[in-house]
Amino acid sequence: MSSKRKNDFSPCCTMDDVYQRIQFGRYQWLIVLLVQYSHLITGQLVLMPIFITTTPTTLNCADDTHIPPAVTGGDGSEPFRWKSLAMEFGLICSKAGERQMISTVYFVGFWFGLILASVGDTRGRKMGYICGYTAVILGAAAAAFTPTFQYFLAARLLIGIGVGVWSLSAYVMMLESCP
């Protein structure tokens, strides 16, 4: 009779042995890292509206106006005014509900991007990944320098389309590259 018991959970091999056995090499690790990096950026793009559309706690919405309080610098130097995207585009008081359009437009673009990602079936995954990534970069640049809220929404739509194409292409490319 063997000296090992049935419930002994000692490992039969290491993870390196498993990776070597299934031929999970350097190329597969690079694909996995590329896909995970893309999801780090995607998460940042999804959470961005939470941080940039905050409003100050002291709102005067009685006459639909607001003057942000002056805050002095840490060294007591000149005061500066706290400003966010919501205040810059006037999305406070009666227009506060329009802030949700930022996320809504992004996810509508994401949905269309998932549909457009089928181009990767005919043109290749790499082309879909590059096109999606390019759309995200162009949309982010446009959102950074947009003069009006409508242009900002258009830029968020482009970002959503790019992320949809990019994320689906990245997942499928990772699945096809790994054994």
Side-chain angles (χ1 to χ4, degrees):
M1 199 157 145
S2 173
S3 63
K4 286 192 173 187
R5 298 180 307 173
K6 274 188 170 180
N7 294 337
D8 187 11
F9 293 109
S10 61
C12 62
C13 53
T14 64
M15 284 305 291
D16 290 333
D17 296 336
V18 172
Y19 290 141
Q20 198 171 39
R21 180 176 280 171
I22 64 171
Q23 299 176 351
F24 196 86
R26 184 176 180 189
Y27 175 73
Q28 284 79 18
W29 278 114
L30 289 174
I31 294 295
V32 168
L33 289 175
L34 181 69
V35 169
Q36 294 308 318
Y37 171 73
S38 67
H39 290 296
L40 178 70
I41 294 173
T42 303
Q44 181 184 9
L45 291 171
V46 170
L47 293 175
M48 180 187 66
I50 295 170
F51 301 111
I52 64 173
T53 60
T54 57
T55 57
T57 56
T58 57
L59 284 176
N60 180 10
C61 288
D63 57 355
D64 222 14
T65 62
H66 172 70
I67 300 173
V71 180
T72 60
D75 58 353
S77 61
E78 63 187 52
F80 63 92
R81 299 221 180 258
W82 181 76
K83 201 164 187 179
S84 72
L85 190 67
M87 294 172 56
E88 187 172 331
F89 290 138
L91 303 176
I92 54 175
C93 298
S94 65
K95 293 184 176 184
E98 293 181 21
R99 283 184 292 186
Q100 284 77 21
M101 288 295 294
I102 296 171
S103 293
T104 302
V105 166
Y106 171 83
F107 285 111
V108 167
F110 186 82
W111 183 74
F112 281 116
L114 291 175
I115 293 171
L116 290 174
S118 64
V119 171
D121 293 334
T122 58
R123 302 281 184 195
R125 307 283 178 226
K126 187 177 178 182
M127 180 60 74
Y129 190 84
I130 291 171
C131 288
Y133 199 77
T134 304
V136 169
I137 290 171
L138 292 175
F145 300 109
T146 185
T148 65
F149 183 61
Q150 289 76 20
Y151 286 129
F152 183 76
L153 289 179
R156 289 291 290 173
L157 182 71
L158 183 61
I159 291 171
I161 291 170
V163 169
V165 171
W166 172 22
S167 63
L168 188 62
S169 298
Y171 268 133
V172 175
M173 186 169 59
M174 183 179 71
L175 291 174
E176 289 175 346
S177 299
C178 296

mmCIF file with all atom_site columns, all heavy atoms in Angstrom, residues 22-42:
data_model
loop_
_atom_site.group_PDB
_atom_site.id
_atom_site.type_symbol
_atom_site.label_atom_id
_atom_site.label_alt_id
_atom_site.label_comp_id
_atom_site.label_asym_id
_atom_site.label_entity_id
_atom_site.label_seq_id
_atom_site.pdbx_PDB_ins_code
_atom_site.Cartn_x
_atom_site.Cartn_y
_atom_site.Cartn_z
_atom_site.occupancy
_atom_site.B_iso_or_equiv
_atom_site.pdbx_formal_charge
_atom_site.auth_seq_id
_atom_site.auth_comp_id
_atom_site.auth_asym_id
_atom_site.auth_atom_id
_atom_site.pdbx_PDB_model_num
ATOM 1   N N   . ILE A 1 22 ? 1.665   22.764 -21.790 1.00 0.00 ? 22 ILE A N   1
ATOM 2   C CA  . ILE A 1 22 ? 0.640   23.232 -22.740 1.00 0.00 ? 22 ILE A CA  1
ATOM 3   C C   . ILE A 1 22 ? 1.218   24.211 -23.759 1.00 0.00 ? 22 ILE A C   1
ATOM 4   O O   . ILE A 1 22 ? 0.482   24.792 -24.538 1.00 0.00 ? 22 ILE A O   1
ATOM 5   C CB  . ILE A 1 22 ? -0.559  23.868 -22.011 1.00 0.00 ? 22 ILE A CB  1
ATOM 6   C CG1 . ILE A 1 22 ? -0.144  25.128 -21.255 1.00 0.00 ? 22 ILE A CG1 1
ATOM 7   C CG2 . ILE A 1 22 ? -1.246  22.865 -21.127 1.00 0.00 ? 22 ILE A CG2 1
ATOM 8   C CD1 . ILE A 1 22 ? -1.305  25.913 -20.693 1.00 0.00 ? 22 ILE A CD1 1
ATOM 9   N N   . GLN A 1 23 ? 2.503   24.414 -23.734 1.00 0.00 ? 23 GLN A N   1
ATOM 10  C CA  . GLN A 1 23 ? 3.214   25.294 -24.674 1.00 0.00 ? 23 GLN A CA  1
ATOM 11  C C   . GLN A 1 23 ? 2.738   26.744 -24.573 1.00 0.00 ? 23 GLN A C   1
ATOM 12  O O   . GLN A 1 23 ? 2.426   27.387 -25.560 1.00 0.00 ? 23 GLN A O   1
ATOM 13  C CB  . GLN A 1 23 ? 3.091   24.771 -26.090 1.00 0.00 ? 23 GLN A CB  1
ATOM 14  C CG  . GLN A 1 23 ? 3.695   23.400 -26.262 1.00 0.00 ? 23 GLN A CG  1
ATOM 15  C CD  . GLN A 1 23 ? 3.489   22.851 -27.647 1.00 0.00 ? 23 GLN A CD  1
ATOM 16  O OE1 . GLN A 1 23 ? 2.753   23.413 -28.438 1.00 0.00 ? 23 GLN A OE1 1
ATOM 17  N NE2 . GLN A 1 23 ? 4.137   21.740 -27.921 1.00 0.00 ? 23 GLN A NE2 1
ATOM 18  N N   . PHE A 1 24 ? 2.654   27.226 -23.351 1.00 0.00 ? 24 PHE A N   1
ATOM 19  C CA  . PHE A 1 24 ? 2.283   28.606 -23.074 1.00 0.00 ? 24 PHE A CA  1
ATOM 20  C C   . PHE A 1 24 ? 3.581   29.387 -22.947 1.00 0.00 ? 24 PHE A C   1
ATOM 21  O O   . PHE A 1 24 ? 4.216   29.409 -21.903 1.00 0.00 ? 24 PHE A O   1
ATOM 22  C CB  . PHE A 1 24 ? 1.474   28.687 -21.768 1.00 0.00 ? 24 PHE A CB  1
ATOM 23  C CG  . PHE A 1 24 ? 0.720   29.963 -21.585 1.00 0.00 ? 24 PHE A CG  1
ATOM 24  C CD1 . PHE A 1 24 ? -0.534  30.100 -22.137 1.00 0.00 ? 24 PHE A CD1 1
ATOM 25  C CD2 . PHE A 1 24 ? 1.258   31.019 -20.879 1.00 0.00 ? 24 PHE A CD2 1
ATOM 26  C CE1 . PHE A 1 24 ? -1.256  31.270 -21.967 1.00 0.00 ? 24 PHE A CE1 1
ATOM 27  C CE2 . PHE A 1 24 ? 0.554   32.185 -20.701 1.00 0.00 ? 24 PHE A CE2 1
ATOM 28  C CZ  . PHE A 1 24 ? -0.711  32.314 -21.250 1.00 0.00 ? 24 PHE A CZ  1
ATOM 29  N N   . GLY A 1 25 ? 3.989   30.016 -24.043 1.00 0.00 ? 25 GLY A N   1
ATOM 30  C CA  . GLY A 1 25 ? 5.295   30.648 -24.089 1.00 0.00 ? 25 GLY A CA  1
ATOM 31  C C   . GLY A 1 25 ? 5.263   32.155 -24.005 1.00 0.00 ? 25 GLY A C   1
ATOM 32  O O   . GLY A 1 25 ? 4.280   32.772 -23.569 1.00 0.00 ? 25 GLY A O   1
ATOM 33  N N   . ARG A 1 26 ? 6.338   32.744 -24.466 1.00 0.00 ? 26 ARG A N   1
ATOM 34  C CA  . ARG A 1 26 ? 6.529   34.193 -24.382 1.00 0.00 ? 26 ARG A CA  1
ATOM 35  C C   . ARG A 1 26 ? 5.461   34.954 -25.183 1.00 0.00 ? 26 ARG A C   1
ATOM 36  O O   . ARG A 1 26 ? 4.954   35.980 -24.735 1.00 0.00 ? 26 ARG A O   1
ATOM 37  C CB  . ARG A 1 26 ? 7.927   34.522 -24.899 1.00 0.00 ? 26 ARG A CB  1
ATOM 38  C CG  . ARG A 1 26 ? 8.288   35.953 -24.777 1.00 0.00 ? 26 ARG A CG  1
ATOM 39  C CD  . ARG A 1 26 ? 9.705   36.169 -25.218 1.00 0.00 ? 26 ARG A CD  1
ATOM 40  N NE  . ARG A 1 26 ? 10.048  37.569 -25.090 1.00 0.00 ? 26 ARG A NE  1
ATOM 41  C CZ  . ARG A 1 26 ? 11.133  38.099 -25.547 1.00 0.00 ? 26 ARG A CZ  1
ATOM 42  N NH1 . ARG A 1 26 ? 12.019  37.357 -26.166 1.00 0.00 ? 26 ARG A NH1 1
ATOM 43  N NH2 . ARG A 1 26 ? 11.366  39.378 -25.409 1.00 0.00 ? 26 ARG A NH2 1
ATOM 44  N N   . TYR A 1 27 ? 5.139   34.475 -26.369 1.00 0.00 ? 27 TYR A N   1
ATOM 45  C CA  . TYR A 1 27 ? 4.134   35.130 -27.203 1.00 0.00 ? 27 TYR A CA  1
ATOM 46  C C   . TYR A 1 27 ? 2.785   35.173 -26.491 1.00 0.00 ? 27 TYR A C   1
ATOM 47  O O   . TYR A 1 27 ? 2.105   36.213 -26.488 1.00 0.00 ? 27 TYR A O   1
ATOM 48  C CB  . TYR A 1 27 ? 4.008   34.398 -28.543 1.00 0.00 ? 27 TYR A CB  1
ATOM 49  C CG  . TYR A 1 27 ? 2.912   34.925 -29.414 1.00 0.00 ? 27 TYR A CG  1
ATOM 50  C CD1 . TYR A 1 27 ? 3.050   36.149 -30.064 1.00 0.00 ? 27 TYR A CD1 1
ATOM 51  C CD2 . TYR A 1 27 ? 1.722   34.229 -29.577 1.00 0.00 ? 27 TYR A CD2 1
ATOM 52  C CE1 . TYR A 1 27 ? 2.041   36.656 -30.860 1.00 0.00 ? 27 TYR A CE1 1
ATOM 53  C CE2 . TYR A 1 27 ? 0.709   34.726 -30.370 1.00 0.00 ? 27 TYR A CE2 1
ATOM 54  C CZ  . TYR A 1 27 ? 0.867   35.934 -31.008 1.00 0.00 ? 27 TYR A CZ  1
ATOM 55  O OH  . TYR A 1 27 ? -0.138  36.427 -31.784 1.00 0.00 ? 27 TYR A OH  1
ATOM 56  N N   . GLN A 1 28 ? 2.381   34.084 -25.873 1.00 0.00 ? 28 GLN A N   1
ATOM 57  C CA  . GLN A 1 28 ? 1.091   34.052 -25.182 1.00 0.00 ? 28 GLN A CA  1
ATOM 58  C C   . GLN A 1 28 ? 1.090   34.994 -23.983 1.00 0.00 ? 28 GLN A C   1
ATOM 59  O O   . GLN A 1 28 ? 0.085   35.654 -23.716 1.00 0.00 ? 28 GLN A O   1
ATOM 60  C CB  . GLN A 1 28 ? 0.771   32.621 -24.732 1.00 0.00 ? 28 GLN A CB  1
ATOM 61  C CG  . GLN A 1 28 ? 0.318   31.718 -25.854 1.00 0.00 ? 28 GLN A CG  1
ATOM 62  C CD  . GLN A 1 28 ? 1.453   31.192 -26.702 1.00 0.00 ? 28 GLN A CD  1
ATOM 63  O OE1 . GLN A 1 28 ? 2.605   31.223 -26.298 1.00 0.00 ? 28 GLN A OE1 1
ATOM 64  N NE2 . GLN A 1 28 ? 1.134   30.715 -27.889 1.00 0.00 ? 28 GLN A NE2 1
ATOM 65  N N   . TRP A 1 29 ? 2.204   35.086 -23.271 1.00 0.00 ? 29 TRP A N   1
ATOM 66  C CA  . TRP A 1 29 ? 2.285   36.021 -22.161 1.00 0.00 ? 29 TRP A CA  1
ATOM 67  C C   . TRP A 1 29 ? 2.165   37.462 -22.654 1.00 0.00 ? 29 TRP A C   1
ATOM 68  O O   . TRP A 1 29 ? 1.516   38.290 -22.018 1.00 0.00 ? 29 TRP A O   1
ATOM 69  C CB  . TRP A 1 29 ? 3.589   35.846 -21.374 1.00 0.00 ? 29 TRP A CB  1
ATOM 70  C CG  . TRP A 1 29 ? 3.520   34.725 -20.382 1.00 0.00 ? 29 TRP A CG  1
ATOM 71  C CD1 . TRP A 1 29 ? 4.235   33.564 -20.412 1.00 0.00 ? 29 TRP A CD1 1
ATOM 72  C CD2 . TRP A 1 29 ? 2.682   34.652 -19.231 1.00 0.00 ? 29 TRP A CD2 1
ATOM 73  N NE1 . TRP A 1 29 ? 3.892   32.775 -19.342 1.00 0.00 ? 29 TRP A NE1 1
ATOM 74  C CE2 . TRP A 1 29 ? 2.940   33.432 -18.593 1.00 0.00 ? 29 TRP A CE2 1
ATOM 75  C CE3 . TRP A 1 29 ? 1.747   35.502 -18.669 1.00 0.00 ? 29 TRP A CE3 1
ATOM 76  C CZ2 . TRP A 1 29 ? 2.307   33.034 -17.437 1.00 0.00 ? 29 TRP A CZ2 1
ATOM 77  C CZ3 . TRP A 1 29 ? 1.095   35.104 -17.509 1.00 0.00 ? 29 TRP A CZ3 1
ATOM 78  C CH2 . TRP A 1 29 ? 1.382   33.883 -16.909 1.00 0.00 ? 29 TRP A CH2 1
ATOM 79  N N   . LEU A 1 30 ? 2.782   37.766 -23.777 1.00 0.00 ? 30 LEU A N   1
ATOM 80  C CA  . LEU A 1 30 ? 2.679   39.126 -24.327 1.00 0.00 ? 30 LEU A CA  1
ATOM 81  C C   . LEU A 1 30 ? 1.246   39.458 -24.717 1.00 0.00 ? 30 LEU A C   1
ATOM 82  O O   . LEU A 1 30 ? 0.768   40.577 -24.478 1.00 0.00 ? 30 LEU A O   1
ATOM 83  C CB  . LEU A 1 30 ? 3.616   39.292 -25.517 1.00 0.00 ? 30 LEU A CB  1
ATOM 84  C CG  . LEU A 1 30 ? 5.102   39.340 -25.182 1.00 0.00 ? 30 LEU A CG  1
ATOM 85  C CD1 . LEU A 1 30 ? 5.937   39.366 -26.457 1.00 0.00 ? 30 LEU A CD1 1
ATOM 86  C CD2 . LEU A 1 30 ? 5.414   40.560 -24.336 1.00 0.00 ? 30 LEU A CD2 1
ATOM 87  N N   . ILE A 1 31 ? 0.543   38.509 -25.313 1.00 0.00 ? 31 ILE A N   1
ATOM 88  C CA  . ILE A 1 31 ? -0.863  38.736 -25.684 1.00 0.00 ? 31 ILE A CA  1
ATOM 89  C C   . ILE A 1 31 ? -1.708  38.958 -24.428 1.00 0.00 ? 31 ILE A C   1
ATOM 90  O O   . ILE A 1 31 ? -2.536  39.872 -24.372 1.00 0.00 ? 31 ILE A O   1
ATOM 91  C CB  . ILE A 1 31 ? -1.402  37.554 -26.515 1.00 0.00 ? 31 ILE A CB  1
ATOM 92  C CG1 . ILE A 1 31 ? -0.698  37.478 -27.866 1.00 0.00 ? 31 ILE A CG1 1
ATOM 93  C CG2 . ILE A 1 31 ? -2.906  37.648 -26.687 1.00 0.00 ? 31 ILE A CG2 1
ATOM 94  C CD1 . ILE A 1 31 ? -0.974  38.659 -28.771 1.00 0.00 ? 31 ILE A CD1 1
ATOM 95  N N   . VAL A 1 32 ? -1.497  38.146 -23.407 1.00 0.00 ? 32 VAL A N   1
ATOM 96  C CA  . VAL A 1 32 ? -2.261  38.302 -22.167 1.00 0.00 ? 32 VAL A CA  1
ATOM 97  C C   . VAL A 1 32 ? -1.982  39.669 -21.532 1.00 0.00 ? 32 VAL A C   1
ATOM 98  O O   . VAL A 1 32 ? -2.906  40.370 -21.099 1.00 0.00 ? 32 VAL A O   1
ATOM 99  C CB  . VAL A 1 32 ? -1.942  37.154 -21.185 1.00 0.00 ? 32 VAL A CB  1
ATOM 100 C CG1 . VAL A 1 32 ? -2.494  37.438 -19.805 1.00 0.00 ? 32 VAL A CG1 1
ATOM 101 C CG2 . VAL A 1 32 ? -2.501  35.846 -21.716 1.00 0.00 ? 32 VAL A CG2 1
ATOM 102 N N   . LEU A 1 33 ? -0.725  40.084 -21.496 1.00 0.00 ? 33 LEU A N   1
ATOM 103 C CA  . LEU A 1 33 ? -0.386  41.393 -20.931 1.00 0.00 ? 33 LEU A CA  1
ATOM 104 C C   . LEU A 1 33 ? -0.973  42.527 -21.753 1.00 0.00 ? 33 LEU A C   1
ATOM 105 O O   . LEU A 1 33 ? -1.455  43.528 -21.205 1.00 0.00 ? 33 LEU A O   1
ATOM 106 C CB  . LEU A 1 33 ? 1.128   41.544 -20.816 1.00 0.00 ? 33 LEU A CB  1
ATOM 107 C CG  . LEU A 1 33 ? 1.795   40.688 -19.741 1.00 0.00 ? 33 LEU A CG  1
ATOM 108 C CD1 . LEU A 1 33 ? 3.307   40.835 -19.809 1.00 0.00 ? 33 LEU A CD1 1
ATOM 109 C CD2 . LEU A 1 33 ? 1.280   41.052 -18.371 1.00 0.00 ? 33 LEU A CD2 1
ATOM 110 N N   . LEU A 1 34 ? -0.971  42.391 -23.067 1.00 0.00 ? 34 LEU A N   1
ATOM 111 C CA  . LEU A 1 34 ? -1.551  43.406 -23.943 1.00 0.00 ? 34 LEU A CA  1
ATOM 112 C C   . LEU A 1 34 ? -3.038  43.559 -23.678 1.00 0.00 ? 34 LEU A C   1
ATOM 113 O O   . LEU A 1 34 ? -3.557  44.669 -23.555 1.00 0.00 ? 34 LEU A O   1
ATOM 114 C CB  . LEU A 1 34 ? -1.293  43.032 -25.399 1.00 0.00 ? 34 LEU A CB  1
ATOM 115 C CG  . LEU A 1 34 ? -1.797  43.989 -26.464 1.00 0.00 ? 34 LEU A CG  1
ATOM 116 C CD1 . LEU A 1 34 ? -0.994  45.280 -26.424 1.00 0.00 ? 34 LEU A CD1 1
ATOM 117 C CD2 . LEU A 1 34 ? -1.689  43.344 -27.829 1.00 0.00 ? 34 LEU A CD2 1
ATOM 118 N N   . VAL A 1 35 ? -3.737  42.442 -23.550 1.00 0.00 ? 35 VAL A N   1
ATOM 119 C CA  . VAL A 1 35 ? -5.178  42.490 -23.297 1.00 0.00 ? 35 VAL A CA  1
ATOM 120 C C   . VAL A 1 35 ? -5.450  43.072 -21.908 1.00 0.00 ? 35 VAL A C   1
ATOM 121 O O   . VAL A 1 35 ? -6.343  43.905 -21.746 1.00 0.00 ? 35 VAL A O   1
ATOM 122 C CB  . VAL A 1 35 ? -5.792  41.084 -23.454 1.00 0.00 ? 35 VAL A CB  1
ATOM 123 C CG1 . VAL A 1 35 ? -7.218  41.054 -22.949 1.00 0.00 ? 35 VAL A CG1 1
ATOM 124 C CG2 . VAL A 1 35 ? -5.736  40.656 -24.913 1.00 0.00 ? 35 VAL A CG2 1
ATOM 125 N N   . GLN A 1 36 ? -4.690  42.676 -20.924 1.00 0.00 ? 36 GLN A N   1
ATOM 126 C CA  . GLN A 1 36 ? -4.914  43.203 -19.574 1.00 0.00 ? 36 GLN A CA  1
ATOM 127 C C   . GLN A 1 36 ? -4.598  44.689 -19.497 1.00 0.00 ? 36 GLN A C   1
ATOM 128 O O   . GLN A 1 36 ? -5.278  45.438 -18.796 1.00 0.00 ? 36 GLN A O   1
ATOM 129 C CB  . GLN A 1 36 ? -4.098  42.413 -18.549 1.00 0.00 ? 36 GLN A CB  1
ATOM 130 C CG  . GLN A 1 36 ? -4.544  40.980 -18.418 1.00 0.00 ? 36 GLN A CG  1
ATOM 131 C CD  . GLN A 1 36 ? -6.030  40.838 -18.175 1.00 0.00 ? 36 GLN A CD  1
ATOM 132 O OE1 . GLN A 1 36 ? -6.634  41.570 -17.409 1.00 0.00 ? 36 GLN A OE1 1
ATOM 133 N NE2 . GLN A 1 36 ? -6.649  39.890 -18.855 1.00 0.00 ? 36 GLN A NE2 1
ATOM 134 N N   . TYR A 1 37 ? -3.588  45.133 -20.212 1.00 0.00 ? 37 TYR A N   1
ATOM 135 C CA  . TYR A 1 37 ? -3.273  46.571 -20.270 1.00 0.00 ? 37 TYR A CA  1
ATOM 136 C C   . TYR A 1 37 ? -4.437  47.334 -20.886 1.00 0.00 ? 37 TYR A C   1
ATOM 137 O O   . TYR A 1 37 ? -4.803  48.409 -20.408 1.00 0.00 ? 37 TYR A O   1
ATOM 138 C CB  . TYR A 1 37 ? -1.994  46.793 -21.072 1.00 0.00 ? 37 TYR A CB  1
ATOM 139 C CG  . TYR A 1 37 ? -1.716  48.241 -21.370 1.00 0.00 ? 37 TYR A CG  1
ATOM 140 C CD1 . TYR A 1 37 ? -1.292  49.101 -20.366 1.00 0.00 ? 37 TYR A CD1 1
ATOM 141 C CD2 . TYR A 1 37 ? -1.896  48.756 -22.643 1.00 0.00 ? 37 TYR A CD2 1
ATOM 142 C CE1 . TYR A 1 37 ? -1.052  50.438 -20.627 1.00 0.00 ? 37 TYR A CE1 1
ATOM 143 C CE2 . TYR A 1 37 ? -1.653  50.078 -22.914 1.00 0.00 ? 37 TYR A CE2 1
ATOM 144 C CZ  . TYR A 1 37 ? -1.234  50.915 -21.910 1.00 0.00 ? 37 TYR A CZ  1
ATOM 145 O OH  . TYR A 1 37 ? -1.007  52.226 -22.174 1.00 0.00 ? 37 TYR A OH  1
ATOM 146 N N   . SER A 1 38 ? -5.022  46.777 -21.926 1.00 0.00 ? 38 SER A N   1
ATOM 147 C CA  . SER A 1 38 ? -6.145  47.460 -22.572 1.00 0.00 ? 38 SER A CA  1
ATOM 148 C C   . SER A 1 38 ? -7.329  47.576 -21.626 1.00 0.00 ? 38 SER A C   1
ATOM 149 O O   . SER A 1 38 ? -8.051  48.567 -21.648 1.00 0.00 ? 38 SER A O   1
ATOM 150 C CB  . SER A 1 38 ? -6.544  46.748 -23.861 1.00 0.00 ? 38 SER A CB  1
ATOM 151 O OG  . SER A 1 38 ? -7.093  45.475 -23.586 1.00 0.00 ? 38 SER A OG  1
ATOM 152 N N   . HIS A 1 39 ? -7.539  46.605 -20.766 1.00 0.00 ? 39 HIS A N   1
ATOM 153 C CA  . HIS A 1 39 ? -8.657  46.690 -19.836 1.00 0.00 ? 39 HIS A CA  1
ATOM 154 C C   . HIS A 1 39 ? -8.378  47.670 -18.703 1.00 0.00 ? 39 HIS A C   1
ATOM 155 O O   . HIS A 1 39 ? -9.314  48.227 -18.134 1.00 0.00 ? 39 HIS A O   1
ATOM 156 C CB  . HIS A 1 39 ? -9.005  45.306 -19.297 1.00 0.00 ? 39 HIS A CB  1
ATOM 157 C CG  . HIS A 1 39 ? -9.623  44.446 -20.348 1.00 0.00 ? 39 HIS A CG  1
ATOM 158 N ND1 . HIS A 1 39 ? -10.831 44.745 -20.920 1.00 0.00 ? 39 HIS A ND1 1
ATOM 159 C CD2 . HIS A 1 39 ? -9.188  43.340 -20.960 1.00 0.00 ? 39 HIS A CD2 1
ATOM 160 C CE1 . HIS A 1 39 ? -11.124 43.861 -21.835 1.00 0.00 ? 39 HIS A CE1 1
ATOM 161 N NE2 . HIS A 1 39 ? -10.128 42.986 -21.889 1.00 0.00 ? 39 HIS A NE2 1
ATOM 162 N N   . LEU A 1 40 ? -7.139  47.906 -18.395 1.00 0.00 ? 40 LEU A N   1
ATOM 163 C CA  . LEU A 1 40 ? -6.792  48.941 -17.429 1.00 0.00 ? 40 LEU A CA  1
ATOM 164 C C   . LEU A 1 40 ? -7.211  50.310 -17.970 1.00 0.00 ? 40 LEU A C   1
ATOM 165 O O   . LEU A 1 40 ? -7.816  51.119 -17.269 1.00 0.00 ? 40 LEU A O   1
ATOM 166 C CB  . LEU A 1 40 ? -5.294  48.912 -17.141 1.00 0.00 ? 40 LEU A CB  1
ATOM 167 C CG  . LEU A 1 40 ? -4.763  49.960 -16.185 1.00 0.00 ? 40 LEU A CG  1
ATOM 168 C CD1 . LEU A 1 40 ? -5.251  49.666 -14.770 1.00 0.00 ? 40 LEU A CD1 1
ATOM 169 C CD2 . LEU A 1 40 ? -3.255  49.987 -16.232 1.00 0.00 ? 40 LEU A CD2 1
ATOM 170 N N   . ILE A 1 41 ? -6.926  50.563 -19.234 1.00 0.00 ? 41 ILE A N   1
ATOM 171 C CA  . ILE A 1 41 ? -7.317  51.824 -19.864 1.00 0.00 ? 41 ILE A CA  1
ATOM 172 C C   . ILE A 1 41 ? -8.834  51.908 -19.999 1.00 0.00 ? 41 ILE A C   1
ATOM 173 O O   . ILE A 1 41 ? -9.435  52.959 -19.771 1.00 0.00 ? 41 ILE A O   1
ATOM 174 C CB  . ILE A 1 41 ? -6.625  51.977 -21.224 1.00 0.00 ? 41 ILE A CB  1
ATOM 175 C CG1 . ILE A 1 41 ? -5.120  52.119 -21.013 1.00 0.00 ? 41 ILE A CG1 1
ATOM 176 C CG2 . ILE A 1 41 ? -7.178  53.166 -21.995 1.00 0.00 ? 41 ILE A CG2 1
ATOM 177 C CD1 . ILE A 1 41 ? -4.320  52.116 -22.278 1.00 0.00 ? 41 ILE A CD1 1
ATOM 178 N N   . THR A 1 42 ? -9.473  50.801 -20.358 1.00 0.00 ? 42 THR A N   1
ATOM 179 C CA  . THR A 1 42 ? -10.927 50.783 -20.492 1.00 0.00 ? 42 THR A CA  1
ATOM 180 C C   . THR A 1 42 ? -11.595 51.138 -19.173 1.00 0.00 ? 42 THR A C   1
ATOM 181 O O   . THR A 1 42 ? -12.539 51.924 -19.137 1.00 0.00 ? 42 THR A O   1
ATOM 182 C CB  . THR A 1 42 ? -11.400 49.398 -20.972 1.00 0.00 ? 42 THR A CB  1
ATOM 183 O OG1 . THR A 1 42 ? -10.758 49.087 -22.198 1.00 0.00 ? 42 THR A OG1 1
ATOM 184 C CG2 . THR A 1 42 ? -12.891 49.367 -21.151 1.00 0.00 ? 42 THR A CG2 1
#
